[in-house]
Amino acid sequence: MRALLVVNPKATTTGARTRDVLIHALASDLKLEVVNTEYRGHARDAARRAADGGEVELVVALGGDGTVNEVVNGLLHDGPADGLPRLAVVPGGSTNVFARALGLPNDAVEATGVLLDALREGRERAVGLGLVSGTPGTEDEGVPARWFTFCAGLGFDAGVVGRVEQQRVRGKRSTHGLYVRQMMRQFVGERNRRHGTITLSEPGGEPMSELVLAIVCNTSPWTFFGNKPVYASPEASFDTGLDLLALSRLSPAAVARHATQLLRSTPERGPRGKHVTALHDLTDFTLQSQAPLPFQVDGDHLGLRTSATFTGVRRALRVIV
């Protein structure tokens, strides 16, 4: 099988020696081409060339969720289609939500072993993905569409992601403590925590307004706190549409309550309460805000947005598992 391995050399949990071992293991079973990413968007460009060329059967992403997201967007730049290369993932980031949601080990060496076994046995599955684009008739109308594998967010959680990214650019390590500190700083600086500016609209439904934050999930768990899975939308699945968790208040008491609920969440129970909106298996909906808010996709902060239109696309891509 002809395969392309896209490697993020800055992946936080795989050193050069480990990557060499993994490349050697994959090359023993595959006709392997290796691309080391050198700039933001390089993984997307490499995967797009593989999809356009028609000769590569498999694209392997070695890196974190950001690398996986770029590869997915490269493969699907013209949308889902028969004959696209399969996707495989070797986790190399700090969290690796997509890989772990697929049931892969969080260790890169173990995951490579699982991948090779899956290739020999022909194990793969079709997964649904989320697609977000600019909303027609708004100032974000021209924003390019973007696929996401596990989550997107508008408002508070995206602001935390942006703050963490800023700290990492300054040389800080991605730790749980870093996220907690940035969450507290985001809360202190949150202007709209008492009166939300987000409105949710879906075809045929009544709009829901005055939301403070909205988290869109394509799978469950939403993230991991170390080895502990965190379930924002426990019913979310690669086999259904999109799920949404929205909050209409972020008072100190509400933040403490919902943070506790998230840390205690299970595959059967997520956040709940008077100011919680939880929706399951959505195909099309739009989030619009009266004020620009932080926006993130798969943990990648994309700046400020006032609107975003979401589509859940079933069976969008085939993945080796």
Side-chain angles (χ1 to χ4, degrees):
M1 179 181 292
R2 185 169 179 179
L4 171 68
L5 174 63
V6 180
V7 179
N8 179 2
K10 296 182 179 179
T12 55
T13 59
T14 53
R17 182 173 297 179
T18 300
R19 290 193 294 271
D20 288 343
V21 170
L22 300 181
I23 291 170
H24 180 76
L26 292 170
S28 66
D29 280 30
L30 301 168
K31 186 177 180 181
L32 193 67
E33 175 188 355
V34 180
V35 171
N36 288 286
T37 59
E38 299 175 355
Y39 56 86
R40 189 181 181 99
H42 194 172
R44 179 200 60 222
D45 295 343
R48 177 171 181 169
R49 287 193 294 270
D52 290 342
E55 297 179 353
V56 173
E57 300 171 73
L58 174 70
V59 176
V60 184
L62 171 51
D65 289 308
T67 302
V68 174
N69 181 276
E70 285 196 16
V71 167
V72 167
N73 276 275
L75 291 173
L76 295 177
H77 71 282
D78 285 331
D82 293 334
L84 285 177
R86 272 48 172 173
L87 170 69
V89 179
V90 177
S94 57
T95 311
N96 308 305
V97 178
F98 180 65
R100 294 162 85 175
L102 287 170
L104 296 173
N106 198 37
D107 177 80
V109 175
E110 292 182 24
T112 300
V114 171
L115 166 59
L116 291 173
D117 288 342
L119 288 170
R120 294 176 189 129
E121 298 169 12
R123 297 198 312 264
E124 62 178 56
R125 64 175 291 189
V127 300
L129 298 172
L131 180 66
V132 58
S133 57
T135 304
T138 71
E139 61 186 54
D140 295 318
E141 180 175 7
V143 175
R146 177 129 171 197
W147 294 90
F148 59 96
T149 63
F150 66 93
C151 83
L154 180 67
F156 182 81
D157 85 297
V160 175
V161 168
R163 287 177 178 271
V164 170
E165 282 191 9
Q166 290 176 353
Q167 294 300 311
R168 294 188 66 180
V169 169
R170 295 170 184 168
K172 301 287 186 180
R173 292 181 62 248
S174 179
T175 63
H176 303 138
L178 178 63
Y179 273 90
V180 171
R181 289 193 299 274
Q182 300 313 312
M183 181 181 70
M184 297 306 297
R185 290 172 181 170
Q186 180 68 23
F187 175 76
V188 170
E190 181 63 56
R191 299 178 179 177
N192 304 304
R193 63 175 181 257
R194 295 188 181 278
H195 303 286
T197 64
I198 303 171
T199 297
L200 165 68
S201 304
E202 54 179 322
E206 288 292 326
M208 298 181 187
S209 59
E210 298 185 353
L211 304 175
V212 179
L213 67 82
I215 297 172
V216 182
C217 292
N218 183 54
T219 188
S220 189
W222 165 53
T223 189
F224 289 82
F225 195 75
N227 289 322
K228 178 176 175 52
V230 179
Y231 300 91
S233 297
E235 292 185 283
S237 167
F238 290 128
D239 298 319
T240 63
L242 301 173
D243 282 27
L244 179 126
L245 174 72
L247 303 181
S248 58
R249 180 171 295 182
L250 276 183
S251 65
V255 168
R257 180 170 61 255
H258 298 316
T260 300
Q261 289 176 343
L262 283 169
L263 290 175
R264 294 178 177 176
S265 60
T266 69
E268 293 76 35
R269 189 163 189 172
R272 59 209 174 275
K274 178 180 178 182
H275 301 290
V276 176
T277 296
L279 301 175
H280 174 58
D281 197 12
L282 303 177
T283 300
D284 297 287
F285 62 95
T286 294
L287 298 173
Q288 290 186 277
S289 173
Q290 300 169 17
L293 294 177
F295 182 65
Q296 65 90 8
V297 166
D298 280 351
D300 185 12
H301 186 261
L302 301 181
L304 300 179
R305 296 278 287 273
T306 57
S307 66
T309 294
F310 293 86
T311 304
V313 182
R314 297 173 189 253
R315 302 180 65 84
L317 195 63
R318 300 201 71 85
V319 182
I320 304 298
V321 291

